[in-house]
Amino acid sequence: MITGKNYVGSQLLAGGTKTYKTINPQWNIENPWTFTEASLEEIEQAAALADEAFKIYKNYPAAKKAAFLNSIADEILELGDALLEIYCTESGFLKGRAESERGRTIFQLRSFANMLLEGSWLEATIDTAIPDRAPLPKEDLRKMLVPLGPVVVFGSSNFPFAFSTAGGDTASALAAGCPVIVKSHSMHIATGEMVASAVIKAAKKHQMPEGVFSNLIGSGTTLGTSLVKHPLVKAVGFTGSINGGRALFDLASQRPEPIPVFAEMGSINPVVILPEALEKNSKKWAAVYAGSITLGTGQFCTNPGLLLGIKGKELDQFSKELSEEIEKIAPSCMLHPSIKTDFNNGREKIRSQNGVTTVAEYKQETAPNYAQQTILSVDGKTFLENNVLSHEVFGPFSIIVQCENLEELTAIINKLDGQLTGTILAESAEISNYDTVVSALQNRVGRLIFNGVPTGVEVCASMLHGGPYPASSDSRFTAVGIHAVKRWVRPFSYQNWPDELLPEALQNKNPLNINRTVNDVITNKPI
């Protein structure tokens, strides 16, 4: 049942006076539900409840928090096909995508639950005292990670499950011991409300403190601005545009007490295509990249928006084959009419630049919110001289840059903004001749891919989903995998503290039986 109201703690409240509806992009009509924007009173209430919940929740044992996360996963699954139908109605995605993304969300929640039970994520480190050390005695010092406090999570447009209400930011923050206030994405409010109901049900089942989770609705900037500026909020998670992420970062920096904003923003994910790889596998790579560029209507943060190659018959042949392959693919629906408009505007802005030509474009008529995939081309010199050509176009779009030589290719990579990913297509024997390219790309990205596609972000401990600015606001952290928890914690040391008053993770007997670093040795043995 969709009520169109805000969850503040476990209470379903009416909100303010402003109302609005979401869009069904497949049918290009408004959905039937009416939503009420959160009032300033509800924002204050959510923040106050989260602050009080933090004092209790941060001290809960790992097993209790893990059970809560697993219960959220169970309750999401209990919503069944009704949740998938709402997801498809608000996003334009098909049921297969909905099932896949729900599965990823469930896996994330359970992964963080397992992380809590294993325990080494706390980075418990102990240096025992040496009282008779000369000339000065050594004090007993013990360090571990502790949670920051209430976290605000902004739901994303392109992942209504996995990067939204109970997605990776929320799951990792709850695992860290931080209460969460979600600012539901305005395109997917019914989806968010259903998922929020599952989180609330799990919270009640496991007797979590009131305010450990809230879900607030707001279509403009008032809600988000109020949450980021609120003095009880201690960190922010965001997935979206560069403009949006930077605005939140600036707001947080200007507070009397600045707080961290972990924003995943724009990326065009450069792909370097070397001549020998094209000579041997041009047709294969053309088909693979036609699929990658159009996957999910190009609405992935890892969409390959920039293809870099060296001029020659190999690159000409690849361009021809990519054109043929991409024009075979039927267009699909974008998330929202405004995203379709932004796609068209961004594409035409780049196409209108001097020296840019069209390699491929789907030319048949489409439904109103369906994107016509497009490939453009430009020479390396022009690309270097025109910063507009490196702007992200969110959707099924890519630009081929024909570089004069290795030096120009390297210069282009060095000039790029920070990116989530960089890819190299090459033969194994060929890549050793391009060490400057590999080195340059490594300096600009968070993940380097060999002979693959950037789309498809595995949820595992080794995944780094982040990169130099503006791919993310802090390249030291990942938004995917269990290490995403490190965004919501800080290191904290105890000196000469009585053993019985220490957290269990730092006590001599090691009652949690976790791996710890004791006097520079990793061990799970008691002291």
Side-chain angles (χ1 to χ4, degrees):
M1 177 181 176
I2 307 301
T3 65
K5 298 179 181 179
N6 300 282
Y7 279 99
V8 178
S10 61
Q11 303 299 311
L12 191 61
L13 302 179
T17 57
K18 182 179 177 182
T19 62
Y20 52 94
K21 296 175 182 287
T22 56
I23 297 289
N24 181 328
Q26 287 280 3
W27 294 100
N28 201 34
I29 58 173
E30 286 187 332
N31 287 313
W33 318 289
T34 299
F35 301 100
T36 307
E37 190 163 60
S39 66
L40 293 176
E41 291 76 17
E42 283 178 326
I43 295 169
E44 286 294 328
Q45 186 181 0
L49 285 173
D51 183 58
E52 289 300 312
F54 176 61
K55 298 169 186 176
I56 304 168
Y57 183 67
K58 68 177 181 179
N59 296 316
Y60 278 176
K64 188 173 179 66
K65 292 198 286 282
F68 175 37
L69 293 176
N70 278 320
S71 185
I72 293 172
D74 294 339
E75 295 298 339
I76 290 173
L77 289 173
E78 278 294 313
L79 292 170
D81 284 349
L83 175 61
L84 301 181
E85 290 167 6
I86 295 297
Y87 170 106
C88 295
T89 298
E90 289 192 317
S91 69
F93 290 133
L94 300 179
K95 187 177 181 181
R97 162 67 190 261
E99 290 173 329
S100 174
E101 194 184 331
R102 181 183 63 180
R104 173 179 172 143
T105 305
I106 299 304
F107 181 78
Q108 288 176 154
L109 287 160
R110 300 207 192 283
S111 293
F112 283 110
N114 292 337
M115 177 201 77
L116 287 169
L117 296 174
E118 189 274 333
S120 64
W121 76 276
L122 289 167
E123 297 182 6
T125 305
I126 299 172
D127 287 282
T128 55
I130 308 176
D132 57 354
R133 187 184 68 175
L136 293 173
K138 178 185 175 185
E139 311 290 352
D140 184 278
L141 283 161
R142 306 185 181 213
K143 184 180 73 173
M144 63 182 288
L145 299 176
V146 298
L148 292 175
V151 171
V152 168
V153 170
F154 285 76
S156 73
S157 65
N158 57 341
F159 281 91
F161 288 155
F163 280 90
S164 290
T165 313
D169 286 354
T170 296
S172 57
L174 290 174
C178 299
V180 172
I181 303 170
V182 171
K183 192 273 185 189
S184 189
H185 197 282
S186 58
M187 295 180 190
H188 314 302
I189 298 175
T191 305
E193 186 181 316
M194 288 191 73
V195 174
S197 72
V199 180
I200 295 297
K201 190 173 182 181
K204 289 181 177 178
K205 183 177 292 187
H206 292 272
Q207 298 179 321
M208 293 291 120
E210 181 77 0
V212 74
F213 174 86
S214 294
N215 184 70
L216 301 181
I217 298 168
S219 60
T221 60
T222 301
L223 173 58
T225 298
S226 299
L227 288 171
V228 173
K229 292 172 68 174
H230 200 286
L232 296 178
V233 169
K234 300 304 179 185
V236 175
F238 173 84
T239 302
S241 68
I242 294 174
N243 289 341
R246 184 54 195 253
L248 297 180
F249 182 89
D250 290 344
L251 275 174
S253 300
Q254 293 159 9
R255 289 173 32 141
E257 178 201 2
I259 59 172
V261 173
F262 298 102
E264 183 211 314
M265 300 177 284
S267 187
I268 56 174
N269 306 294
V271 180
V272 175
I273 314 172
L274 298 181
E276 198 171 322
L278 291 182
E279 185 178 351
K280 294 189 176 182
N281 290 300
S282 178
K283 192 169 185 62
K284 166 195 164 183
W285 289 123
V288 166
Y289 269 82
S292 181
I293 290 164
T294 57
L295 183 67
T297 327
Q299 298 169 128
F300 288 109
C301 45
T302 52
N303 189 62
L306 181 65
L307 308 177
L308 302 169
I310 296 174
K311 285 182 180 179
K313 65 181 187 300
E314 297 89 356
L315 187 58
D316 291 341
Q317 181 65 20
F318 172 78
S319 298
K320 178 176 178 295
E321 290 166 345
L322 178 63
S323 172
E324 292 168 352
E325 292 291 338
I326 208 159
E327 289 180 1
K328 293 177 186 177
I329 298 172
S332 52
C333 189
M334 300 201 83
L335 288 156
H336 193 270
S338 66
I339 289 183
K340 169 67 184 302
T341 299
D342 289 344
F343 168 73
N344 285 344
N345 291 342
R347 178 187 59 184
E348 296 313 310
K349 183 175 181 179
I350 290 182
R351 195 191 332 239
S352 68
Q353 303 299 305
N354 290 334
V356 175
T357 59
T358 301
V359 172
E361 182 174 18
Y362 191 87
K363 297 181 179 65
Q364 298 180 37
E365 287 293 318
T366 64
N369 295 318
Y370 280 54
Q372 295 166 302
Q373 55 263 26
T374 304
I375 305 293
L376 306 180
S377 181
V378 70
D379 66 69
K381 183 175 183 295
T382 303
F383 186 87
L384 275 170
E385 293 172 347
N386 188 345
N387 290 334
V388 171
L389 300 177
S390 61
H391 290 180
E392 180 185 22
V393 177
F394 187 66
F397 170 91
S398 196
I399 182 168
I400 299 171
V401 180
Q402 302 193 35
C403 303
E404 198 66 42
N405 48 40
L406 174 59
E407 289 72 24
E408 188 171 79
L409 171 60
T410 307
I412 288 173
I413 295 171
N414 284 328
K415 192 184 176 186
L416 290 175
D417 288 336
Q419 308 292 330
L420 291 171
T421 74
T423 303
I424 296 179
L425 306 184
E427 292 296 298
S428 296
E430 178 184 27
I431 196 169
S432 61
N433 298 320
Y434 291 87
D435 56 332
T436 57
V437 169
V438 175
S439 178
L441 204 52
Q442 185 179 24
N443 287 335
R444 304 311 306 137
V445 307
R447 175 164 55 109
L448 195 56
I449 301 152
F450 182 68
N451 283 349
V453 294
T455 43
V457 179
E458 187 70 30
V459 181
C460 65
S462 300
M463 175 55 66
L464 191 289
H465 192 62
Y469 182 87
S472 61
S473 55
D474 194 329
S475 62
R476 297 171 298 172
F477 297 92
T478 180
V480 172
I482 58 172
H483 293 151
V485 74
K486 294 183 180 180
R487 296 172 296 170
W488 320 119
V489 294
R490 62 186 178 92
F492 184 86
S493 287
Y494 295 86
Q495 182 169 327
N496 292 336
W497 209 248
D499 184 70
E500 67 276 10
L501 298 181
L502 286 165
E504 288 187 323
L506 297 177
Q507 290 178 3
N508 286 340
K509 290 183 179 180
N510 192 14
L512 301 179
N513 194 34
I514 63 175
N515 281 335
R516 309 185 295 183
T517 301
V518 180
N519 296 326
D520 299 325
V521 176
I522 298 175
T523 177
N524 66 349
K525 294 180 180 179
I527 297 172

